[in-house]
Amino acid sequence: MSRVMVFVGDQPGEIESQAITLGHSLGSVEAVVLGDVTIAGLNRVWSVQHPLLSDYAPEAIAEALAQLVGREMPAAVIAAGTERGNEVMAHLGALLDLPLASNIVSVDASDDDWELTRVRWGGSLLEEATLSAFVKLLTVAPHSQPAFAGSGDPEVTIFTPEIDDSLARTRVTERVTVEAGISLTTAPVVVSGGRGVGSAEGFATLEQLANLLGGAVGCSRVVTNNGWRSHRDQVGQTGTRIAPSLYIACGISGAIQHWVGMMAAKKVLAINTDPDAPMVTKADYAVIGDLHEILPAIVDEVKRRKGLE
Amino acid sequence: MRILTCVKRVPAPGARINLTEDQRAIDARHLSFTVSPHEECAVEEGIRLREANGGTVTVLTLGPAESDEQLRYAISVGADTAELILTDGEEWDPQSTANALASRIKDLEAEGQAFDLILFGNESADAGGYQVGIRVAHLLGRPIITGIKGLQVEQQTVVARREVESGFEVYRLPLPAVVAVKEGINLPRYPTLPGRLKAKKAEVANLGPAVGIGGGLQMRMLRTPKEQQTVTTVLGRGADAAPAVVDLLAELGLLR
């Protein structure tokens, strides 16, 4: 059975766990972690330890991975298709001069060359590609696999790479905390607004509803382009990708570039004046009408049921 | 300060993408094209840095002859010079693209134009490989940081901010450096009339045609994902639908 290394870093979350699932379909998974992280249900975990890796440093991490790969020669190295996963793997590809297939959704590894499917246009188009390389490098498109769940302690092997101090040139030097509110990526419900909201002030009701539900406010690209909201709130291909339990799309028509950012939501509720808008026809639930009338009514009803009024 | 911004010609966001009959490419006949969104911000950021620090902005692309349009767009919003590495029209894999860009950058620098800062977009809107900028940086032996939404140059250091869930991370890279930026770092300006006239008359250095040396990742065909057939439950019309919506919120366990 071929050996597959899955780089999970120092904070393995759900997306990293999905990468492990894909790894399992290709061979025997060995996780590569930074520091003292362990993953239940695997046979082996490589714990990479080096003072330079105490904070995120993509070049240094890739150098450590390159040394481990050179020594162990796995068939493939996989990471989650997150900002960090894609960044570290691209560095690894550059260091080893190997191709990298990013954001793949499936792999057929029955031949020497692997046939794989990867996402383009943030997920609105699929590409069938052939990957030929001595060691295959892949990142896994978020939410394309179920999460991995296993039990039992793995064998942990400490790996100490030799990393030149000069690679500290690309390392986090400072962290600034901006807000402690509920983040877009982890919120169970996201109340999101588009062109139909009409103004920056129009988001006040969306904020109200999000607060009542313990959720976050999102928006479409047109909203940030108009300066109504910060780009931090933008959901979509060039913004944030989210997977809440419920996505409430208010006055968002549902262009494909927006849809790919929230298509992993478990349920979608569209509030729109146009019953034929793509967001409405693709949603699980819809309310047809003016969001400026509907949202205040929902806010009042939520307050009433929560006994706040 | 000498700045180089690398861009890619892609179909305008929001367009409906149809495929060619052989499914090897997108059908470009009814599409308008643009600079990839993150790269539009990279062009803008380069121009802002030049406005603040002096210097020049060069834009470089690799692509078909039509990419001339995107280079002229960059000039119309303020870039000084433009370079096109002409391809045979086929899409190149990320390794071949990076090799050609790095080789051209080395030539430009040998001609006396050492770049203090090279800007990329974080990933192209279409192929989304997340790697060309990083590969170019390695080929040039320069540091790179990606996913950047804030940039400042302080003497020989570029201070870059990357957004994370809790706020942002700060990186300090020694110049010369490479930075891949994301949409949101700025709001790109529109071309001015004098800018358009300048762009029309500008000379675009045209190199090529170049032949891509096939890397290990070869695209075979494209397809559109199966659309999930969703039955939409209409909860009602107007404000009267509020109780039904709140019933749904309760059902989903969100009313706690």
Side-chain angles (χ1 to χ4, degrees):
Chain A
M1 204 176 188
S2 45
R3 295 170 67 193
V4 173
M5 284 185 175
V6 180
F7 171 69
V8 298
D10 59 351
Q11 289 164 338
E14 200 187 335
I15 315 278
E16 287 75 17
S17 167
Q18 295 163 4
I20 293 175
T21 302
L22 186 108
H24 271 297
S25 70
L26 300 171
S28 166
V29 170
E30 302 172 15
V32 183
V33 303
L34 299 174
D36 299 316
V37 176
T38 192
I39 301 201
L42 299 182
N43 293 327
R44 175 175 254 179
V45 167
W46 293 93
S47 168
V48 180
Q49 312 229 341
H50 193 282
L52 251 184
L53 303 178
S54 61
D55 208 337
Y56 182 64
E59 259 191 297
I61 296 171
E63 177 58 36
L65 282 173
Q67 290 172 22
L68 184 61
V69 168
R71 207 182 78 176
E72 298 295 321
M73 291 310 286
V77 184
I78 300 176
T82 55
E83 187 159 64
R84 287 185 173 187
N86 280 324
E87 183 177 45
V88 166
M89 292 299 284
H91 275 284
L92 183 61
L95 280 173
L96 301 175
D97 197 21
L98 286 173
L100 162 68
S102 54
N103 291 312
I104 62 147
V105 294
S106 66
V107 184
D108 174 355
S110 48
D111 285 320
D112 283 352
D113 290 350
W114 289 5
E115 304 297 331
L116 51 87
T117 305
R118 57 178 300 270
V119 304
R120 291 170 76 100
W121 285 101
S124 54
L125 205 61
L126 295 173
E127 170 188 343
E128 310 280 357
T130 306
L131 179 62
S132 0
F134 197 43
V135 179
K136 270 84 167 178
L137 307 184
L138 313 170
T139 67
V140 182
H143 308 296
S144 63
Q145 320 288 322
F148 170 73
S151 59
D153 289 337
E155 181 193 330
V156 177
T157 312
I158 290 175
F159 177 71
T160 310
E162 282 173 32
I163 300 174
D164 194 277
D165 285 347
S166 67
L167 293 187
R169 62 189 187 175
T170 47
R171 188 171 187 266
V172 176
T173 57
E174 191 187 334
R175 280 174 196 284
V176 182
T177 306
V178 170
E179 56 200 299
I182 293 164
S183 91
L184 198 54
T185 45
T186 55
V189 51
V190 172
V191 185
S192 200
R195 189 189 301 273
V197 177
S199 65
E201 297 71 36
F203 275 86
T205 1
L206 281 80
E207 294 272 7
Q208 257 186 307
L209 183 59
N211 285 339
L212 281 167
L213 300 174
V217 170
C219 68
S220 69
R221 189 164 182 250
V222 66
V223 168
T224 43
N225 277 349
N226 281 334
W228 299 344
R229 302 286 297 184
S230 147
H231 192 273
R232 181 175 277 274
D233 295 342
Q234 186 178 313
V235 172
Q237 189 184 339
T238 51
T240 305
R241 315 284 178 95
I242 57 172
S245 299
L246 178 67
Y247 187 73
I248 307 179
C250 310
I252 300 177
S253 66
I256 192 76
Q257 285 76 15
H258 183 75
W259 181 260
V260 295
M262 43 62 69
M263 63 184 177
K266 284 170 197 76
K267 296 286 175 195
V268 178
L269 164 64
I271 299 175
N272 209 299
T273 50
D274 176 8
D276 298 319
M279 183 58 83
V280 175
T281 58
K282 286 172 159 177
D284 301 285
Y285 305 97
V287 175
I288 309 304
D290 184 353
L291 67 97
H292 299 100
E293 292 166 14
I294 297 162
L295 281 176
I298 297 173
V299 165
D300 287 347
E301 182 67 14
V302 171
K303 282 185 181 168
R304 196 181 65 76
R305 293 211 205 168
K306 285 188 138 189
L308 297 173
E309 264 179 15
Chain B
M1 192 177 188
R2 287 185 177 275
I3 299 162
L4 176 75
T5 304
C6 296
V7 301
K8 182 178 184 185
R9 171 184 168 88
V10 299
R16 186 177 169 81
I17 307 287
N18 293 312
L19 300 176
T20 53
E21 236 165 68
D22 65 0
Q23 289 188 277
R24 293 272 303 160
I26 55 165
D27 185 350
R29 284 175 300 177
H30 308 294
L31 287 176
S32 64
F33 284 77
T34 178
V35 171
S36 209
H38 295 311
E39 292 149 23
E40 202 182 330
C41 294
V43 171
E44 174 68 27
E45 199 62 19
I47 293 161
R48 288 187 189 192
L49 287 170
R50 184 201 59 200
E51 285 168 352
N53 304 292
T56 57
V57 174
T58 301
V59 279
L60 172 64
T61 194
L62 176 145
E66 294 81 7
S67 308
D68 184 80
E69 193 190 331
Q70 278 62 50
L71 292 174
R72 287 184 196 278
Y73 170 82
I75 291 172
S76 76
V77 290
D80 300 287
T81 52
E83 296 260 341
L84 167 65
I85 303 170
L86 187 65
T87 64
D88 45 9
E90 284 273 311
E91 184 184 87
W92 287 19
D93 70 278
Q95 279 173 293
S96 310
T97 305
N99 287 337
L101 289 176
S103 141
R104 183 58 199 150
I105 292 168
K106 282 178 185 167
D107 287 349
L108 284 171
E109 295 198 330
E111 288 161 21
Q113 293 198 61
F115 296 108
D116 302 294
L117 184 64
I118 301 177
L119 296 169
F120 279 86
N122 198 58
E123 85 277 0
S124 63
D126 57 349
Y130 291 84
Q131 54 189 282
V132 169
I134 291 175
R135 288 184 189 276
V136 168
H138 278 261
L139 290 166
L140 299 173
R142 288 176 203 175
I144 176 164
I145 193 71
T146 68
I148 294 308
K149 283 175 92 167
L151 207 57
Q152 267 175 291
V153 173
E154 294 171 358
Q155 289 160 345
Q156 280 309 298
T157 304
V158 56
V159 183
R161 285 162 45 142
R162 171 146 151 185
E163 205 171 85
V164 291
E165 237 167 65
S166 56
F168 52 86
E169 299 168 341
V170 181
Y171 298 84
R172 289 183 172 80
L173 278 61
L175 294 176
V178 187
V179 176
V181 306
K182 283 178 97 165
E183 184 182 85
I185 190 172
N186 54 45
L187 265 182
R189 70 193 70 186
Y190 292 105
T192 57
L193 187 59
R196 282 182 197 280
L197 291 172
K198 186 184 163 214
K200 208 174 165 187
K201 285 186 279 184
E203 268 193 44
V204 170
N206 185 329
L207 300 147
V211 180
I213 301 147
L217 180 68
Q218 291 302 318
M219 189 259 281
R220 284 182 293 115
M221 62 171 266
L222 302 172
R223 64 186 166 88
T224 319
K226 275 195 198 107
E227 275 203 28
Q228 276 187 335
Q229 291 300 316
T230 311
V231 180
T232 308
T233 307
V234 178
L235 299 174
R237 286 178 177 270
D240 294 344
V245 170
V246 183
D247 286 347
L248 172 69
L249 296 174
E251 196 184 304
L252 295 173
L254 296 167
L255 216 59
R256 270 171 287 172

